[in-house]
Amino acid sequence: MHPQEIIIVSGLPRSGTSMMMRMIVAGGIPALADDHRAPDQDNPLGYYEFAAAKATQSDSTWLALAKGKVVKLVHVLLPSLPKTHSYRVVMLHRNLDEVVASQHKMLIRSGREGAQLPDATLKNLFAAQMETTRKWLEQQPNFQRLDVHYDRVISDPIGEATRVANFLGIADAAPQMAAAVDQSLYRNRR
């Protein structure tokens, strides 16, 4: 990894982005994260979020802090990133039934209401967003992308950690990255 590159972990909410952040940090790359969102029942090992990243559309100055680090950014904000930087994106994918189920449970536990959309509509919306993001990323010369599937990380942590470590240029860190996978947190199975 070049020290000026920015590593982005992205994907849908509840797709395993916090797990991937934990893996990459275990591999020795520091996270750009803050403590605004504390660990809870839905993410007992932490969210690894950076609050300023949520406002990327209106203010991307936080990227000056991200060089040589990994930061989590929801998929719909990727097109807001300025073309003046180089990015490596680890894009998480998860079965949409599991994403929706996990999202519903989290919203209920937190006492918040989510979008009042039927599950099928929400799944179609998520699928369309991810396809739009994929197509956009393919057209960006300053982005490199690695697709990672949540269920494969759970079933083959060392194999998937090796793929991610190679993509990030930290091949020797794969065992530590794989050790950061907590299979007991795979609670919303299809």
Side-chain angles (χ1 to χ4, degrees):
M1 180 186 122
H2 189 278
Q4 294 299 305
E5 274 187 325
I6 298 168
I7 300 170
I8 305 286
V9 170
S10 192
L12 292 166
R14 312 304 300 160
S15 65
T17 54
S18 298
M19 173 190 66
M20 184 54 62
M21 288 289 292
R22 191 170 53 257
M23 290 172 67
I24 293 171
V25 168
I29 295 176
L32 180 59
D34 54 38
D35 294 326
H36 282 353
R37 193 169 182 190
D40 59 23
Q41 186 176 356
D42 296 299
N43 261 1
L45 300 178
Y47 284 90
Y48 292 87
E49 292 179 351
F50 187 61
K54 296 175 186 177
T56 299
Q57 289 176 313
S58 59
D59 181 5
S60 63
T61 57
W62 62 268
L63 284 163
L65 304 171
K67 293 176 181 175
K69 297 179 181 169
V70 59
V71 65
K72 185 161 74 166
L73 192 68
V74 69
H75 65 293
V76 294
L77 291 179
L78 290 174
S80 301
L81 292 170
K83 296 181 186 303
T84 52
H85 298 285
S86 294
Y87 308 94
R88 286 186 188 254
V89 177
V90 179
M91 181 65 73
L92 270 291
H93 299 274
R94 186 175 180 184
N95 175 279
L96 291 177
D97 289 318
E98 294 178 359
V99 167
V100 169
S102 182
Q103 183 79 355
H104 283 312
K105 287 179 182 177
M106 185 179 75
L107 290 171
I108 289 167
R109 271 195 283 272
S110 67
R112 295 182 306 174
E113 288 192 29
Q116 300 302 317
L117 297 174
D119 288 357
T121 302
L122 189 56
K123 285 170 37 181
N124 288 337
L125 175 66
F126 281 163
Q129 287 177 349
M130 288 298 283
E131 180 63 12
T132 298
T133 300
R134 182 192 65 77
K135 287 179 179 176
W136 180 84
L137 281 169
E138 288 177 353
Q139 303 301 314
Q140 307 311 308
N142 58 324
F143 282 80
Q144 294 180 55
R145 182 186 88 231
L146 177 69
D147 292 304
V148 177
H149 295 267
Y150 180 83
D151 60 332
R152 292 182 198 155
V153 175
I154 296 297
S155 65
D156 182 15
I158 191 65
E160 291 301 295
T162 299
R163 287 181 62 238
V164 175
N166 287 338
F167 176 68
L168 299 179
I170 55 170
D172 292 345
Q176 296 92 325
M177 292 172 68
V181 176
D182 185 342
Q183 296 172 329
S184 72
L185 294 177
Y186 187 11
R187 298 168 291 197
N188 294 291
R189 299 174 189 260
R190 61 185 133 153

Coordinates of all heavy atoms in Angstrom, one line a residue, residues 6-87:
I6 N -5.7 5.8 0.3 CA -6.8 5.8 1.3 C -7.5 4.5 1.1 O -7.9 4.2 0.0 CB -7.7 7.0 1.2 CG1 -6.9 8.3 1.5 CG2 -8.9 6.8 2.2 CD1 -7.7 9.5 1.1
I7 N -7.6 3.7 2.2 CA -8.4 2.4 2.1 C -9.8 2.7 2.6 O -10.0 3.3 3.7 CB -7.7 1.3 2.9 CG1 -6.3 1.1 2.4 CG2 -8.6 0.0 2.9 CD1 -5.5 0.2 3.3
I8 N -10.7 2.3 1.8 CA -12.2 2.5 2.1 C -12.8 1.1 2.3 O -12.7 0.2 1.4 CB -12.9 3.2 1.0 CG1 -12.3 4.6 0.7 CG2 -14.4 3.4 1.4 CD1 -12.4 5.7 1.7
V9 N -13.5 0.9 3.4 CA -14.3 -0.3 3.6 C -15.7 0.2 3.3 O -16.2 1.1 4.0 CB -14.2 -1.0 5.0 CG1 -15.2 -2.0 5.2 CG2 -12.8 -1.5 5.1
S10 N -16.4 -0.5 2.4 CA -17.7 0.0 2.0 C -18.7 -1.1 1.8 O -18.3 -2.3 1.8 CB -17.6 0.9 0.7 OG -18.8 1.6 0.5
G11 N -19.9 -0.8 1.6 CA -21.0 -1.8 1.4 C -22.3 -1.3 2.0 O -22.4 -0.1 2.5
L12 N -23.3 -2.1 2.0 CA -24.6 -1.8 2.6 C -24.4 -1.8 4.1 O -23.6 -2.4 4.7 CB -25.6 -2.8 2.2 CG -26.1 -2.8 0.8 CD1 -26.8 -4.1 0.5 CD2 -26.9 -1.6 0.4
P13 N -25.3 -1.0 4.8 CA -25.3 -1.2 6.3 C -25.6 -2.6 6.6 O -26.3 -3.3 5.9 CB -26.5 -0.3 6.7 CG -26.7 0.7 5.6 CD -26.3 -0.1 4.3
R14 N -25.0 -3.1 7.7 CA -25.2 -4.5 8.2 C -24.6 -5.6 7.2 O -25.0 -6.7 7.3 CB -26.6 -4.8 8.5 CG -27.4 -3.7 9.3 CD -26.7 -3.4 10.6 NE -26.6 -4.5 11.5 CZ -25.8 -4.6 12.5 NH1 -25.0 -3.7 12.8 NH2 -25.8 -5.7 13.3
S15 N -23.6 -5.2 6.4 CA -23.1 -6.2 5.5 C -21.7 -6.7 5.9 O -21.1 -7.5 5.2 CB -22.9 -5.5 4.1 OG -22.0 -4.5 4.1
G16 N -21.2 -6.3 7.1 CA -20.0 -6.9 7.6 C -18.8 -5.9 7.5 O -17.7 -6.2 7.6
T17 N -19.2 -4.6 7.3 CA -18.1 -3.6 7.2 C -17.3 -3.4 8.5 O -16.1 -3.2 8.5 CB -18.7 -2.2 6.7 OG1 -19.8 -1.8 7.6 CG2 -19.2 -2.3 5.3
S18 N -18.0 -3.5 9.6 CA -17.3 -3.4 10.9 C -16.3 -4.5 11.1 O -15.2 -4.4 11.6 CB -18.3 -3.3 12.1 OG -19.1 -2.1 12.0
M19 N -16.7 -5.7 10.7 CA -15.9 -6.9 10.8 C -14.6 -6.7 9.9 O -13.5 -7.0 10.3 CB -16.6 -8.2 10.3 CG -15.8 -9.4 10.2 SD -16.6 -10.8 9.4 CE -16.8 -10.1 7.7
M20 N -14.8 -6.2 8.7 CA -13.7 -6.0 7.8 C -12.8 -4.9 8.3 O -11.6 -5.0 8.2 CB -14.2 -5.6 6.4 CG -13.1 -5.5 5.4 SD -12.0 -6.9 5.3 CE -13.1 -8.2 4.7
M21 N -13.3 -3.9 8.9 CA -12.5 -2.8 9.6 C -11.6 -3.5 10.6 O -10.4 -3.2 10.7 CB -13.4 -1.7 10.2 CG -14.0 -0.8 9.1 SD -12.9 0.3 8.3 CE -12.4 1.4 9.6
R22 N -12.2 -4.3 11.5 CA -11.5 -5.0 12.6 C -10.4 -5.8 12.0 O -9.3 -5.9 12.5 CB -12.5 -5.8 13.4 CG -11.9 -6.3 14.7 CD -13.0 -6.9 15.6 NE -13.8 -7.9 15.0 CZ -15.1 -7.7 14.5 NH1 -15.7 -6.6 14.7 NH2 -15.8 -8.7 14.0
M23 N -10.7 -6.5 10.9 CA -9.6 -7.4 10.3 C -8.5 -6.6 9.8 O -7.3 -6.9 10.0 CB -10.3 -8.2 9.1 CG -11.3 -9.2 9.5 SD -12.1 -10.0 8.1 CE -10.8 -10.8 7.2
I24 N -8.8 -5.5 9.1 CA -7.7 -4.7 8.5 C -6.9 -4.0 9.6 O -5.6 -3.9 9.5 CB -8.3 -3.6 7.5 CG1 -8.9 -4.4 6.3 CG2 -7.3 -2.6 7.1 CD1 -9.7 -3.5 5.3
V25 N -7.5 -3.6 10.6 CA -6.8 -3.0 11.8 C -5.9 -4.1 12.4 O -4.7 -3.8 12.7 CB -7.7 -2.4 12.8 CG1 -7.0 -2.1 14.1 CG2 -8.4 -1.1 12.2
A26 N -6.4 -5.3 12.5 CA -5.6 -6.4 13.1 C -4.4 -6.7 12.2 O -3.3 -7.1 12.6 CB -6.4 -7.7 13.2
G27 N -4.5 -6.3 10.9 CA -3.4 -6.5 9.9 C -2.4 -5.4 10.0 O -1.4 -5.4 9.3
G28 N -2.6 -4.4 10.8 CA -1.6 -3.4 11.1 C -1.9 -2.0 10.4 O -1.1 -1.1 10.5
I29 N -3.0 -1.9 9.7 CA -3.3 -0.6 9.1 C -4.2 0.2 10.1 O -5.3 -0.4 10.5 CB -4.0 -0.8 7.8 CG1 -3.0 -1.4 6.8 CG2 -4.5 0.6 7.2 CD1 -3.6 -1.7 5.4
P30 N -3.8 1.4 10.5 CA -4.7 2.1 11.5 C -6.0 2.6 10.9 O -6.1 2.9 9.7 CB -3.8 3.3 11.9 CG -2.8 3.5 10.8 CD -2.6 2.1 10.1
A31 N -7.0 2.6 11.7 CA -8.3 3.1 11.3 C -8.5 4.5 11.6 O -8.0 5.1 12.6 CB -9.4 2.3 12.1
L32 N -9.2 5.2 10.7 CA -9.6 6.6 10.9 C -11.0 6.4 11.5 O -12.0 6.1 10.8 CB -9.6 7.4 9.7 CG -10.1 8.9 9.8 CD1 -9.2 9.6 10.8 CD2 -10.1 9.6 8.5
A33 N -11.1 6.5 12.8 CA -12.4 6.2 13.5 C -12.4 7.1 14.7 O -11.4 7.5 15.2 CB -12.6 4.7 13.8
D34 N -13.6 7.3 15.3 CA -13.8 8.0 16.5 C -14.7 7.2 17.4 O -15.2 6.1 17.1 CB -14.3 9.4 16.2 CG -15.6 9.5 15.4 OD1 -16.5 8.6 15.6 OD2 -15.7 10.4 14.6
D35 N -15.0 7.8 18.5 CA -15.9 7.0 19.5 C -17.3 7.6 19.5 O -18.0 7.4 20.5 CB -15.3 7.1 20.9 CG -13.9 6.4 21.0 OD1 -13.8 5.4 20.3 OD2 -13.0 6.9 21.7
H36 N -17.7 8.2 18.5 CA -19.1 8.8 18.5 C -20.2 7.7 18.6 O -21.2 7.9 19.2 CB -19.4 9.6 17.2 CG -18.8 11.0 17.3 ND1 -18.1 11.5 18.4 CD2 -18.7 11.9 16.3 CE1 -17.7 12.7 18.1 NE2 -18.0 13.0 16.9
R37 N -19.9 6.5 18.0 CA -20.9 5.4 18.1 C -20.2 4.3 18.9 O -19.3 3.6 18.3 CB -21.3 5.0 16.7 CG -22.5 4.1 16.7 CD -23.0 3.9 15.3 NE -24.2 3.1 15.3 CZ -24.7 2.6 14.1 NH1 -24.2 2.9 13.0 NH2 -25.8 1.9 14.2
A38 N -20.6 4.1 20.1 CA -20.0 3.1 21.0 C -20.5 1.7 20.6 O -21.6 1.5 20.0 CB -20.4 3.4 22.4
P39 N -19.7 0.7 20.9 CA -20.2 -0.7 20.7 C -21.5 -0.9 21.5 O -21.8 -0.3 22.5 CB -19.1 -1.5 21.4 CG -17.9 -0.7 21.4 CD -18.4 0.7 21.5
D40 N -22.3 -1.8 20.9 CA -23.6 -2.1 21.5 C -24.0 -3.5 21.1 O -23.1 -4.3 20.6 CB -24.7 -1.1 21.0 CG -24.9 -1.1 19.5 OD1 -24.5 -2.1 18.8 OD2 -25.4 0.0 19.0
Q41 N -25.2 -3.9 21.4 CA -25.6 -5.3 21.2 C -25.6 -5.7 19.7 O -25.3 -6.8 19.4 CB -27.1 -5.5 21.7 CG -27.6 -6.9 21.6 CD -29.0 -7.0 22.2 OE1 -29.5 -6.1 22.8 NE2 -29.5 -8.2 22.2
D42 N -25.7 -4.7 18.8 CA -25.7 -5.0 17.4 C -24.3 -5.1 16.8 O -24.0 -5.8 15.9 CB -26.5 -4.0 16.6 CG -28.0 -4.0 17.0 OD1 -28.6 -5.1 16.8 OD2 -28.5 -3.0 17.5
N43 N -23.4 -4.4 17.4 CA -21.9 -4.5 17.1 C -21.1 -4.4 18.3 O -20.5 -3.4 18.7 CB -21.6 -3.3 16.2 CG -21.5 -3.6 14.7 OD1 -21.8 -4.8 14.3 ND2 -21.2 -2.7 13.9
P44 N -21.1 -5.6 19.1 CA -20.4 -5.6 20.3 C -18.9 -5.3 20.3 O -18.3 -5.0 21.3 CB -20.7 -7.0 20.9 CG -21.1 -7.8 19.7 CD -21.7 -6.8 18.7
L45 N -18.3 -5.5 19.1 CA -16.8 -5.2 19.0 C -16.5 -3.9 18.4 O -15.4 -3.5 18.1 CB -16.2 -6.3 18.1 CG -16.3 -7.7 18.7 CD1 -15.7 -8.8 17.8 CD2 -15.7 -7.8 20.1
G46 N -17.6 -3.0 18.2 CA -17.4 -1.7 17.7 C -17.8 -1.5 16.3 O -17.9 -2.4 15.5
Y47 N -18.1 -0.2 16.0 CA -18.5 0.2 14.6 C -17.4 0.7 13.7 O -17.6 0.7 12.5 CB -19.6 1.3 14.7 CG -21.0 0.7 15.2 CD1 -21.3 0.6 16.5 CD2 -21.9 0.3 14.2 CE1 -22.5 0.1 16.9 CE2 -23.1 -0.3 14.6 CZ -23.4 -0.3 15.9 OH -24.6 -0.8 16.3
Y48 N -16.3 1.2 14.3 CA -15.2 1.7 13.5 C -15.7 2.8 12.6 O -15.2 2.8 11.4 CB -14.5 0.6 12.8 CG -13.8 -0.4 13.6 CD1 -14.4 -1.5 14.1 CD2 -12.4 -0.2 13.9 CE1 -13.8 -2.4 14.9 CE2 -11.8 -1.1 14.7 CZ -12.4 -2.2 15.2 OH -11.8 -3.1 16.0
E49 N -16.5 3.7 13.0 CA -17.0 4.8 12.2 C -16.2 6.1 12.5 O -15.7 6.3 13.6 CB -18.5 5.0 12.4 CG -19.3 3.8 11.9 CD -20.8 4.0 12.1 OE1 -21.2 4.9 12.8 OE2 -21.5 3.1 11.6
F50 N -16.2 7.0 11.5 CA -15.7 8.3 11.6 C -16.8 9.3 11.3 O -17.2 9.3 10.1 CB -14.5 8.5 10.7 CG -13.7 9.8 10.9 CD1 -13.1 10.1 12.1 CD2 -13.6 10.7 9.9 CE1 -12.4 11.2 12.3 CE2 -12.9 11.8 10.0 CZ -12.3 12.1 11.3
A51 N -17.3 10.0 12.2 CA -18.5 10.8 12.1 C -18.4 11.8 10.9 O -19.3 12.0 10.1 CB -18.8 11.6 13.4
A52 N -17.2 12.4 10.7 CA -17.1 13.4 9.6 C -17.3 12.8 8.3 O -17.7 13.4 7.3 CB -15.7 14.0 9.7
A53 N -17.0 11.5 8.1 CA -17.2 10.8 6.8 C -18.6 10.8 6.4 O -18.9 10.7 5.2 CB -16.6 9.4 6.9
K54 N -19.6 10.8 7.3 CA -21.0 10.8 6.9 C -21.4 12.1 6.2 O -22.4 12.1 5.6 CB -21.8 10.6 8.2 CG -21.6 9.2 8.8 CD -22.4 9.1 10.1 CE -22.0 7.8 10.8 NZ -22.7 7.7 12.1
A55 N -20.6 13.1 6.3 CA -20.9 14.4 5.7 C -20.1 14.6 4.4 O -19.9 15.8 4.0 CB -20.7 15.6 6.7
T56 N -19.5 13.6 3.9 CA -18.6 13.7 2.7 C -19.2 14.5 1.6 O -18.5 15.2 0.9 CB -18.2 12.3 2.3 OG1 -17.5 11.6 3.3 CG2 -17.3 12.3 1.1
Q57 N -20.5 14.4 1.3 CA -21.1 15.1 0.2 C -20.9 16.6 0.3 O -20.7 17.3 -0.7 CB -22.6 14.8 0.1 CG -22.8 13.4 -0.4 CD -24.3 13.1 -0.5 OE1 -25.0 13.3 0.5 NE2 -24.7 12.5 -1.6
S58 N -20.9 17.1 1.5 CA -20.8 18.6 1.7 C -19.4 19.0 2.2 O -19.0 20.2 2.1 CB -21.8 19.1 2.7 OG -21.7 18.4 4.0
D59 N -18.6 18.1 2.8 CA -17.3 18.4 3.3 C -16.4 17.2 3.3 O -16.6 16.3 4.1 CB -17.4 19.0 4.7 CG -16.1 19.4 5.4 OD1 -15.1 19.3 4.7 OD2 -16.1 19.7 6.5
S60 N -15.4 17.2 2.4 CA -14.5 16.0 2.3 C -13.1 16.3 2.9 O -12.2 15.6 2.6 CB -14.4 15.5 0.9 OG -13.9 16.5 0.1
T61 N -13.0 17.4 3.6 CA -11.7 17.8 4.1 C -11.1 16.8 5.1 O -9.9 16.8 5.2 CB -11.8 19.2 4.8 OG1 -12.7 19.2 5.9 CG2 -12.1 20.3 3.8
W62 N -11.9 16.0 5.6 CA -11.4 14.9 6.6 C -10.5 13.9 5.9 O -9.7 13.3 6.5 CB -12.6 14.2 7.2 CG -13.5 13.4 6.2 CD1 -14.6 13.9 5.6 CD2 -13.3 12.1 5.7 NE1 -15.1 12.9 4.7 CE2 -14.3 11.8 4.8 CE3 -12.3 11.1 6.0 CZ2 -14.4 10.6 4.1 CZ3 -12.4 9.9 5.3 CH2 -13.5 9.7 4.4
L63 N -10.5 13.9 4.5 CA -9.7 12.9 3.8 C -8.2 13.2 4.0 O -7.4 12.3 3.9 CB -10.0 12.9 2.3 CG -11.3 12.2 2.0 CD1 -11.8 12.6 0.6 CD2 -11.1 10.7 2.1
A64 N -7.8 14.4 4.4 CA -6.4 14.7 4.7 C -5.9 13.9 5.8 O -4.7 13.6 5.9 CB -6.3 16.2 5.0
L65 N -6.8 13.4 6.7 CA -6.5 12.6 7.9 C -6.4 11.1 7.5 O -6.0 10.3 8.3 CB -7.5 12.8 9.0 CG -7.7 14.2 9.5 CD1 -8.8 14.3 10.5 CD2 -6.4 14.7 10.2
A66 N -6.9 10.7 6.3 CA -7.1 9.3 6.0 C -6.0 8.7 5.2 O -6.0 7.5 5.1 CB -8.4 9.2 5.2
K67 N -5.0 9.4 4.8 CA -4.0 8.9 4.0 C -3.2 7.8 4.8 O -2.8 8.0 5.9 CB -3.0 9.9 3.5 CG -3.7 10.9 2.5 CD -2.8 12.0 2.1 CE -3.5 12.9 1.1 NZ -2.7 14.1 0.7
G68 N -3.1 6.6 4.2 CA -2.4 5.5 4.9 C -3.2 4.8 5.9 O -2.7 4.0 6.7
K69 N -4.5 5.1 5.9 CA -5.4 4.5 6.9 C -6.6 3.9 6.2 O -6.8 4.0 5.0 CB -5.9 5.6 7.9 CG -4.8 6.2 8.7 CD -5.3 7.3 9.7 CE -4.1 7.9 10.4 NZ -4.5 9.1 11.1
V70 N -7.4 3.2 7.1 CA -8.6 2.6 6.6 C -9.8 3.3 7.2 O -9.8 3.6 8.4 CB -8.7 1.1 6.8 CG1 -8.6 0.7 8.3 CG2 -9.9 0.5 6.2
V71 N -10.8 3.6 6.4 CA -12.0 4.3 6.9 C -13.2 3.6 6.3 O -13.2 3.1 5.2 CB -11.9 5.8 6.6 CG1 -12.0 6.1 5.1 CG2 -13.1 6.6 7.3
K72 N -14.3 3.6 7.1 CA -15.5 3.0 6.7 C -16.4 4.1 6.1 O -16.6 5.2 6.6 CB -16.2 2.4 7.8 CG -17.5 1.6 7.4 CD -17.9 0.6 8.5 CE -18.6 1.2 9.7 NZ -19.2 0.2 10.6
L73 N -17.0 3.8 4.9 CA -17.9 4.8 4.2 C -19.0 4.0 3.5 O -18.7 3.1 2.7 CB -17.0 5.5 3.1 CG -17.7 6.7 2.5 CD1 -17.9 7.9 3.5 CD2 -16.8 7.2 1.4
V74 N -20.2 4.3 3.8 CA -21.3 3.7 3.2 C -21.3 3.8 1.6 O -20.8 4.9 1.1 CB -22.7 4.2 3.8 CG1 -23.0 5.6 3.3 CG2 -23.8 3.2 3.4
H75 N -21.7 2.8 0.9 CA -21.6 2.7 -0.5 C -22.1 4.0 -1.3 O -21.5 4.4 -2.3 CB -22.3 1.5 -1.0 CG -23.8 1.5 -0.8 ND1 -24.3 1.4 0.4 CD2 -24.8 1.6 -1.7 CE1 -25.7 1.5 0.3 NE2 -25.9 1.5 -1.0
V76 N -23.2 4.6 -0.9 CA -23.8 5.7 -1.6 C -22.9 6.9 -1.5 O -23.2 7.9 -2.3 CB -25.3 6.0 -1.2 CG1 -26.2 4.8 -1.5 CG2 -25.3 6.3 0.3
L77 N -22.0 7.0 -0.6 CA -21.1 8.2 -0.5 C -19.8 8.1 -1.3 O -19.1 9.1 -1.5 CB -20.8 8.4 0.9 CG -21.9 8.9 1.8 CD1 -21.5 9.1 3.3 CD2 -22.5 10.2 1.3
L78 N -19.6 6.9 -1.9 CA -18.3 6.8 -2.7 C -18.2 7.8 -3.8 O -17.1 8.4 -4.0 CB -18.2 5.3 -3.2 CG -17.9 4.3 -2.2 CD1 -18.0 2.9 -2.8 CD2 -16.6 4.5 -1.5
P79 N -19.3 8.1 -4.6 CA -19.2 9.1 -5.7 C -18.9 10.5 -5.2 O -18.5 11.3 -6.0 CB -20.5 9.0 -6.4 CG -21.0 7.6 -6.1 CD -20.6 7.3 -4.7
S80 N -19.0 10.7 -3.9 CA -18.7 12.0 -3.3 C -17.2 12.2 -3.0 O -16.8 13.3 -2.7 CB -19.5 12.2 -2.0 OG -20.9 12.1 -2.2
L81 N -16.4 11.2 -3.1 CA -15.0 11.3 -2.8 C -14.3 12.0 -4.0 O -14.6 11.7 -5.1 CB -14.4 9.9 -2.7 CG -14.8 9.1 -1.4 CD1 -14.4 7.7 -1.5 CD2 -14.4 9.8 -0.2
P82 N -13.4 13.0 -3.6 CA -12.8 13.7 -4.7 C -11.8 12.9 -5.5 O -11.2 12.0 -5.0 CB -12.0 14.8 -3.9 CG -12.0 14.4 -2.5 CD -13.1 13.4 -2.3
K83 N -11.6 13.3 -6.7 CA -10.8 12.5 -7.6 C -9.3 12.8 -7.4 O -8.4 12.3 -8.1 CB -11.1 12.8 -9.1 CG -12.5 12.4 -9.4 CD -12.9 12.7 -10.9 CE -14.3 12.4 -11.3 NZ -14.7 11.1 -11.1
T84 N -9.0 13.7 -6.4 CA -7.6 14.1 -6.1 C -6.9 13.1 -5.3 O -5.7 13.3 -5.0 CB -7.6 15.4 -5.4 OG1 -8.5 15.4 -4.3 CG2 -8.1 16.5 -6.4
H85 N -7.5 12.0 -4.9 CA -6.9 11.0 -4.1 C -6.9 9.6 -4.8 O -7.8 9.4 -5.7 CB -7.6 10.8 -2.7 CG -7.5 12.1 -1.9 ND1 -6.4 12.5 -1.2 CD2 -8.5 13.0 -1.6 CE1 -6.7 13.6 -0.6 NE2 -7.9 13.9 -0.8
S86 N -6.1 8.7 -4.3 CA -6.2 7.3 -4.8 C -6.8 6.5 -3.7 O -6.4 6.6 -2.5 CB -4.8 6.8 -5.1 OG -4.2 7.5 -6.2
Y87 N -7.7 5.6 -4.1 CA -8.4 4.8 -3.1 C -8.3 3.3 -3.4 O -8.3 2.9 -4.6 CB -9.9 5.1 -3.1 CG -10.2 6.6 -3.0 CD1 -10.3 7.4 -4.1 CD2 -10.3 7.2 -1.7 CE1 -10.6 8.8 -4.0 CE2 -10.5 8.6 -1.6 CZ -10.7 9.3 -2.7 OH -11.0 10.7 -2.6

